[in-house]
Amino acid sequence: MTPLERAVRERIAAEGPITVEAFMHACNAYYYATRDPLGARGDFTTAPEISQMFGEMVGAALADVWKRAGAPADAIYAELGPGRGTLASDALRMMRSAGFAGEVHLVETSPVLRSKQKDALPDAHWHDSVDDLPARPLLLVANEFFDALPIRQHVGAIERRVTVAGGGLAFDRDGEIIETSPASELAVTAIATCLAARGGAAIIVDYGHERSAPGETLQAVRGHGFAPVLASPGEQDLTAHVDFEMIGNAAHAAGAAVTGVMAQGEWLIRLGIEARAQALMRGNPERADEVQAALKRLTGRQAMGQLFKVIAFHGPDWPPPAGFA
Ligand code: SAH
């Protein structure tokens, strides 16, 4: 039994069954606080860890929209759940060369990942919550952040819970499941409220669906594969597909302008990732196969290109970032 499973069982014994939301919150807080989950020896790999091209395209998009908004000097780079800091490093390299000299603000709760981020970005400022970001024009990105935030599950009108049954953890009911994520809505509302008041643009990348729909998407990821959701609490990443319709609606309700949802592959191609790949291959012929493979992984329909989606929101007085329909 994992240390967290022991704690969860004690909590259920004391309080009764706990909501899926409380379970997911406890599992991921423990999971991320105790390890760096990324990379070949970890549990999963993300777009910025596949290739520098991903962060470069994000940085190019943020630098471009910042310039078109008049290059305000008080704008800051902000990122939610920056992992190893790879995306920020690649994006900021592009943004610095475009003249952006603003501060770097990172929202990260894991002490292990904060310390990795400090190696990559020694001058950054760290925050525990989106609510703590300074009220300044934001150039914000979040990649694979929202899928890790807790979801609620309902079967009909009843909220689904985790209980102890037959000696192990079990869901207290089955049936057609509706998922919502109040934590995600709160985070989007905080960002969009700041964008509406101070300007800026936010780019959100994650796997998920363009339209809200019933169905269970909660999953556990471990060792680059799927695992049973209730197995090994705290030792595997719990994620859910992101509901981009909900994200767009929450941003709009808070006063931000919202773009359409794009597939990651098409968005990266519109931003010029193919030309960037050609340049990298010309500059490093010995790495051409690796660059080609990364391009395919990031943009291919059978790989990340279609499942992963991108949406942006921005201040009403700011132009939308490039690449959106
Ligand atoms: N964006 C990175 C890492 C994705 S993993 C990449 O693309 O490689 C999810 C990240 O979100 C980790 O950095 C994790 O520690 C952070 N995280 C998860 N839940 C969080 C929360 N509630 N608040 C702040 N950060 C969180």
Side-chain angles (χ1 to χ4, degrees):
M1 197 184 300
T2 65
L4 189 70
E5 176 163 359
R6 202 176 310 277
V8 165
R9 282 173 180 248
E10 280 167 15
R11 186 165 162 192
I12 292 170
E15 300 174 16
I18 62 170
T19 62
V20 168
E21 185 181 36
F23 178 76
M24 188 173 176
H25 175 84
C27 287
N28 278 356
Y30 183 93
Y31 175 79
Y32 282 104
T34 50
R35 77 208 68 211
D36 170 4
L38 296 160
R41 281 202 299 274
D43 290 322
F44 58 95
T45 301
T46 57
E49 299 298 332
I50 291 170
S51 167
Q52 69 187 77
M53 294 186 287
F54 182 80
E56 288 171 348
M57 292 301 116
V58 169
L62 291 175
D64 168 68
V65 73
W66 172 71
K67 281 195 160 172
R68 284 188 288 127
D74 59 344
I76 58 172
Y77 174 89
E79 187 175 338
L80 314 184
R84 292 175 169 170
T86 309
L87 167 53
S89 301
D90 293 332
L92 282 160
R93 197 170 56 247
M94 295 296 282
M95 294 167 74
R96 298 295 188 218
S97 72
F100 173 74
E103 290 173 1
V104 175
H105 288 260
L106 307 176
V107 176
E108 175 62 68
T109 42
S110 162
V112 176
L113 290 170
R114 268 194 191 198
S115 119
K116 296 235 165 181
Q117 292 155 21
K118 204 164 177 67
D119 294 340
L121 305 147
D123 299 326
H125 304 265
W126 280 267
H127 307 280
D128 288 330
S129 155
V130 176
D131 300 315
D132 303 328
L133 285 172
R136 306 244 293 272
L138 303 177
L139 300 168
L140 183 144
V141 60
N143 183 60
E144 289 209 41
F145 171 76
F146 284 97
D147 67 78
L149 295 190
I151 58 154
R152 271 181 202 164
Q153 291 188 331
H154 278 85
V155 178
I158 315 271
E159 186 166 2
R160 198 182 197 204
R161 290 170 184 269
V162 176
T163 186
V164 177
L169 296 177
F171 291 110
D172 72 340
R173 68 192 63 244
D174 289 312
E176 187 177 56
I177 287 169
I178 304 277
E179 294 178 343
T180 56
S181 180
S184 297
E185 264 186 87
L186 282 174
V188 169
T189 300
I191 298 162
T193 302
C194 184
L195 294 177
R198 300 302 317 271
I203 296 173
I204 311 297
V205 189
D206 223 309
Y207 44 93
H209 34 272
E210 209 170 323
R211 294 272 159 254
S212 306
E216 175 164 35
T217 71
L218 180 62
Q219 61 188 20
V221 176
R222 188 176 198 183
H224 299 268
F226 295 112
V229 168
L230 299 179
S232 308
E235 304 299 328
Q236 50 190 19
D237 185 31
L238 294 187
T239 83
H241 282 211
V242 170
D243 177 352
F244 280 85
E245 183 174 355
M246 177 281 287
I247 295 228
N249 287 343
H252 177 75
V258 182
T259 68
V261 179
M262 297 281 294
Q264 170 176 298
E266 197 185 342
W267 183 70
L268 290 172
I269 287 167
R270 284 173 177 225
L271 288 174
I273 195 172
E274 289 167 320
R276 181 65 186 131
Q278 291 300 331
L280 283 174
M281 289 191 274
R282 274 196 306 276
N284 315 270
E286 74 290 351
R287 285 184 52 209
D289 289 351
E290 188 192 316
V291 173
Q292 190 61 46
L295 177 66
K296 224 175 148 185
R297 234 176 129 181
L298 293 175
T299 62
R301 291 181 69 86
Q302 307 304 322
M304 299 171 78
Q306 188 63 33
L307 174 62
F308 280 72
K309 311 278 191 305
V310 192
I311 193 172
F313 23 106
H314 54 95
D317 302 332
W318 275 51
F324 293 91

